Amino acid sequence: MCMQLNPKYKTIFKEALEISSLKPTKQREHIFSLILNKKDHPTADEIFTRSRETMPSISLATVYNCLETLVESGLIRQVNFERESTRYCPNLKPHAHFHCKKTGAICDVDLPVSIFNSLKKHLPKNFQPEQIDINFNGSIHKTKNH
Amino acid sequence: MCMQLNPKYKTIFKEALEISSLKPTKQREHIFSLILNKKDHPTADEIFTRSRETMPSISLATVYNCLETLVESGLIRQVNFERESTRYCPNLKPHAHFHCKKTGAICDVDLPVSIFNSLKKHLPKNFQPEQIDINFNGSIHKTKNH
DNA sequence: AAGTGTAATTAGAATAATTCTAAATTAATT
DNA sequence: AATTAATTTAGAATTATTCTAATTACACTT
Ligand SMILES: [Mn+2]
Ligand SMILES: [Mn+2]
Ligand SMILES: [Zn+2]
Ligand SMILES: [Zn+2]
């Protein structure tokens, strides 16, 4: 039983792939819906494991292929921390990532576009940024609820 | 003939290692001076190749060990782009990195501390950042000098 | 000076995320 | 149905990095 995209995302999905004349295959849709439905930042291997629960025949190579396709189509983002496995993020709003070194937790940090604009102002005129990655590393303290 | 650190950096080097009771070995000093003297962003393998020119007996494992030590001592920084090899940066001032996808060039982009402070303001109160990595990806346009 | 103990270095094996290759499958088109 | 191109698949290959275990260097004691 494959994951289903809701109609809104189904349209976004099809149109994004169509722009590059790529096909909306069931593997691509399955992986996209897995990432959309659980809004964490899974690795390719975690996505592979989750995929097999409902699509047991999918291969790891296909997971990698689909993820590459989804990233190139702008449907998801890649997130990298140091040399760890690449992670994938369905949040397309401007945001940064916070990586807790103690627990491994990864959190989205929403940022106003103004910060990205102000960062761009510090570049020489001939530098054309396509993407800006902002990663916080540190720790998340437990808040005491006594 | 090993690389020599100038007296100012020699003191910084020794003191930084001493804090963690690590020894200022000639391999560690050699690698630190190589990185300081050519202010690019070399990979471990590039550093290994350069090291052997003047210290032919050094091993790749030692290069990795020394780099880890230098990073932990705060003498150099690690820089990562996507899944590429880790690179090393001697610039300890607050700055970002620009990665040109066409040429592979990597440039330091100096930033005022105020930008880092303003980024920190968007974190929840219980998030304690230790480091903030800012990476630009894009392309550097040649400026025409007619 | 010789001996002891610890840290650092070394060579090579192991690891693991990702990419590659080539064959099989699927889907669209004639 | 036959042809073609895109996609998926299994497994091999790649490669940056880490690990292991042996050797070396060096500070400290006798
Ligand atoms: Mn290992
Ligand atoms: Mn290969
Ligand atoms: Zn995210
Ligand atoms: Zn730098």
Side-chain angles (χ1 to χ4, degrees):
Chain A
M1 190 62 49
C2 291
M3 284 268 162
Q4 283 296 334
L5 285 173
N6 75 43
K8 174 187 156 201
Y9 277 109
K10 189 114 177 178
T11 306
I12 292 173
F13 171 71
K14 285 190 169 167
E15 289 180 352
L17 291 170
E18 189 146 348
I19 288 171
S20 322
S21 21
L22 296 166
K23 296 178 184 167
T25 66
K26 65 182 200 297
Q27 287 88 347
R28 286 170 178 164
E29 176 173 353
H30 186 58
I31 286 174
F32 185 43
S33 71
L34 280 177
I35 295 174
L36 277 181
N37 284 309
K38 190 155 181 233
K39 292 207 183 317
D40 51 358
H41 295 84
T43 62
D45 209 64
E46 285 164 358
I47 294 165
F48 178 51
T49 302
R50 289 185 204 171
S51 295
R52 298 185 77 144
E53 290 170 13
T54 42
M55 187 183 272
S57 63
I58 200 169
S59 74
L60 180 57
T62 297
V63 171
Y64 273 102
N65 291 340
C66 291
L67 289 170
E68 187 182 11
T69 300
L70 294 172
V71 169
E72 283 173 0
S73 308
L75 292 165
I76 59 175
R77 284 175 53 177
Q78 273 184 323
V79 186
N80 287 285
F81 296 106
E82 313 256 315
R83 299 283 313 160
E84 293 183 16
S85 307
T86 296
R87 294 175 175 276
Y88 298 87
C89 169
N91 180 358
L92 299 180
K93 288 182 301 186
H95 71 287
H97 289 101
F98 191 102
H99 189 213
C100 177
K101 287 185 173 173
K102 286 189 190 145
T103 65
I106 295 164
C107 301
D108 282 356
V109 178
D110 285 330
L111 293 177
V113 187
S114 59
I115 286 212
F116 290 92
N117 290 333
S118 132
L119 277 170
K120 286 180 195 160
K121 291 211 184 84
H122 289 88
L123 292 174
K125 292 144 299 299
N126 56 325
F127 284 38
Q128 284 238 319
E130 281 166 23
Q131 166 142 36
I132 306 179
D133 292 319
I134 303 178
N135 291 338
F136 296 90
N137 282 275
S139 52
I140 301 179
H141 291 268
K142 281 271 155 55
T143 52
K144 288 182 200 152
N145 32 332
H146 55 90
Chain B
M1 189 62 48
C2 292
M3 284 268 162
Q4 284 295 335
L5 284 173
N6 75 42
K8 174 188 156 200
Y9 276 108
K10 189 114 178 179
T11 307
I12 292 173
F13 172 71
K14 283 190 170 169
E15 289 180 353
L17 292 170
E18 188 145 348
I19 288 171
S20 321
S21 21
L22 296 166
K23 296 178 185 167
T25 66
K26 65 182 200 297
Q27 286 89 348
R28 285 170 178 165
E29 177 172 351
H30 186 59
I31 286 174
F32 185 43
S33 71
L34 280 177
I35 296 174
L36 276 181
N37 284 309
K38 190 153 180 236
K39 291 207 182 318
D40 52 357
H41 295 83
T43 62
D45 210 64
E46 286 164 358
I47 294 165
F48 179 50
T49 302
R50 290 185 204 170
S51 294
R52 298 185 78 143
E53 290 170 14
T54 42
M55 187 183 271
S57 64
I58 199 169
S59 74
L60 180 58
T62 298
V63 170
Y64 273 103
N65 290 341
C66 290
L67 289 169
E68 185 182 13
T69 300
L70 293 171
V71 169
E72 284 174 359
S73 308
L75 291 165
I76 60 175
R77 284 177 52 178
Q78 273 184 325
V79 186
N80 287 285
F81 296 106
E82 314 256 315
R83 299 284 313 159
E84 293 183 16
S85 306
T86 297
R87 294 175 175 276
Y88 297 86
C89 168
N91 181 357
L92 299 180
K93 288 183 300 187
H95 71 287
H97 289 101
F98 190 101
H99 189 213
C100 177
K101 286 185 173 172
K102 286 189 192 145
T103 66
I106 294 164
C107 300
D108 282 356
V109 178
D110 285 330
L111 292 177
V113 187
S114 59
I115 285 212
F116 289 92
N117 290 333
S118 129
L119 279 170
K120 286 179 195 161
K121 291 210 186 83
H122 290 88
L123 293 173
K125 291 143 300 299
N126 56 325
F127 284 37
Q128 285 238 320
E130 281 166 22
Q131 167 143 34
I132 306 179
D133 292 319
I134 303 178
N135 291 338
F136 296 90
N137 282 273
S139 52
I140 301 179
H141 292 267
K142 281 271 157 55
T143 53
K144 289 184 199 149
N145 32 332
H146 55 90

